[in-house]
Amino acid sequence: MTALLLALPVLLACSIGDIRRPPPDRASASPEPVATTPAGPPPADVHEVRIVRVAVSDRYDPPFIEFVDAERAYALFAACDDRPPGRDCPALLYATRDGGRSWQALPHPRPVADNHQLDAPQGLLVLTAEPFGWYASTDGGVTFTHHPGVVPPPVLVGARGRFQVAEESGKVARWDGRRLRPLPVQPGLPMVNTVREAGDLLVAAGAADGRPYAAVSTDQGRSWQRSPLPAPDGEVGVLRVTSAPDGEIWLIGERPDRTTFPALWVYRGNWQQLRADGHPEMVSSVAPVGAGRVAVTGPDGVGVVADGRYERVSWPIGPEHYLHLLDDGTLVARAPDEVILAVGPPGARRWIRVALLRD
């Protein structure tokens, strides 16, 4: 299950390992870096604050909030005093349909369990409650269908996109309504990390032995063409495909340590590598935001890569926020105790702070 309760993932891609990928596990990474450059411009203020107090004991840890789009979201209170909920402190579920201006309590189908998780791809609501399995809702949490076991239910797999990388085989597969079927013709890459459908183009990408590889298809995977990539400076451990709100297709070349500044390519008939002069050494999240720009957060602050340079920006978010792009183009910046939404086109975004307070 990918939507972890304490961190979430980057960017929406179509492989099982990269859907709403959470921040990288830093337990085995190098020690926490410190800022080595000036603090940059002061953060700007948000345009709107949506802070709602709900009838939840202060014993509960802050909730995990998962936005589906700019208006719909779910919140899960799933820990008390840093421990899994028990009978005296069951998991609590809330939903909003107005962007966090108001929240309504929903009945949790299995409130006493271990390792509660929540995922909401394409509007589907799926809860995990170990060891009982999965609970899926297609009506916004009014009713749930129980799927026992550890294997993700078909309804969740199907919501992850028509084309995916099959976890058991590593092959590009298509969802036929019941299961993933590997394509008869594969991209021919040494490794496929992700695959993404963007308009009429299907892109597969991966990294092997530190080198990035990509292939494109214009006929939904019936044939593939290897697509050369300008060589990056340094090794690439994982190559992810994503797209910006304006339809730009990007490759994010994560380094083997998952924390060093990545290699970046944008597709404009062929792959063009994006320089980022002046970029920080370490990052925690990267998200294409349109108009040839990529937003970055990390220990040294918040910035944007554009026109071959990295520049700090005065957005109302900080190093603790993890960037994530929704299907409707909304940029989400997640921190442990709040979510900040950026809605609207690049250069004219409105920043909205959303938080749930406990009584």
Side-chain angles (χ1 to χ4, degrees), residues 51-258:
I51 297 179
V52 175
R53 187 175 294 276
V54 291
V56 174
S57 167
D58 59 7
R59 286 188 56 201
Y60 284 85
D61 294 350
F64 171 77
I65 300 176
E66 171 81 333
F67 270 86
V68 178
D69 53 36
E71 298 297 319
R72 297 178 296 159
Y74 299 98
L76 178 64
F77 291 88
C80 289
D81 304 323
D82 294 322
R83 297 193 303 267
R87 295 190 180 280
D88 63 332
C89 192
L92 302 175
L93 182 64
Y94 283 81
T96 180
R97 297 293 181 268
D98 55 14
R101 297 178 183 87
S102 64
W103 294 83
Q104 297 77 43
L106 298 175
H108 194 295
R110 182 66 70 169
V112 179
D114 294 327
N115 192 25
H116 285 273
Q117 297 180 25
L118 180 156
D119 197 7
Q122 299 186 25
L124 177 72
L125 174 60
V126 179
L127 303 174
T128 308
E130 295 181 355
F132 304 102
W134 312 72
Y135 297 84
S137 174
T138 59
D139 55 14
V142 177
T143 61
F144 287 88
T145 301
H146 182 211
H147 301 268
V150 298
V151 178
V155 65
L156 176 58
V157 178
R160 289 170 171 169
R162 286 202 306 166
F163 295 94
Q164 303 176 32
V165 179
E167 190 172 19
E168 65 280 2
S169 66
K171 293 183 176 181
V172 176
R174 181 169 183 165
W175 178 252
D176 67 0
R178 295 195 307 169
R179 63 173 182 164
L180 288 173
R181 293 183 179 274
L183 297 181
V185 179
Q186 291 293 309
L189 305 179
M191 172 69 72
V192 179
N193 299 134
T194 56
V195 59
R196 186 176 184 88
E197 193 175 14
D200 295 331
L201 203 64
L202 184 63
V203 182
D209 299 324
R211 298 179 59 186
Y213 300 90
V216 298
S217 172
T218 57
D219 54 13
Q220 298 190 338
R222 288 186 289 273
S223 64
W224 295 88
Q225 298 79 44
R226 288 282 287 267
S227 187
L229 293 174
D233 56 343
E235 293 187 347
V236 171
V238 173
L239 189 60
R240 294 186 291 108
V241 188
T242 187
S243 59
D246 57 5
E248 288 179 331
I249 305 172
W250 287 83
L251 296 178
I252 311 296
E254 296 182 354
R255 307 301 184 176
D257 64 3
R258 305 297 288 272

Side-chain angles (χ1 to χ4, degrees), residues 32 52 64 100 214 217 221 228 245 265 273 284 290 302 309 319 322 329 350:
E32 184 73 17
V52 175
F64 171 77
S217 172
W265 295 267
Q273 189 170 13
S284 57
V302 185
R309 287 199 56 80
Y322 190 84
R350 283 180 48 80

Side-chain angles (χ1 to χ4, degrees), residues 35-56:
T36 57
T37 56
D45 291 332
V46 296
H47 296 92
E48 185 180 350
V49 176
R50 302 171 183 171
I51 297 179
V52 175
R53 187 175 294 276
V54 291
V56 174

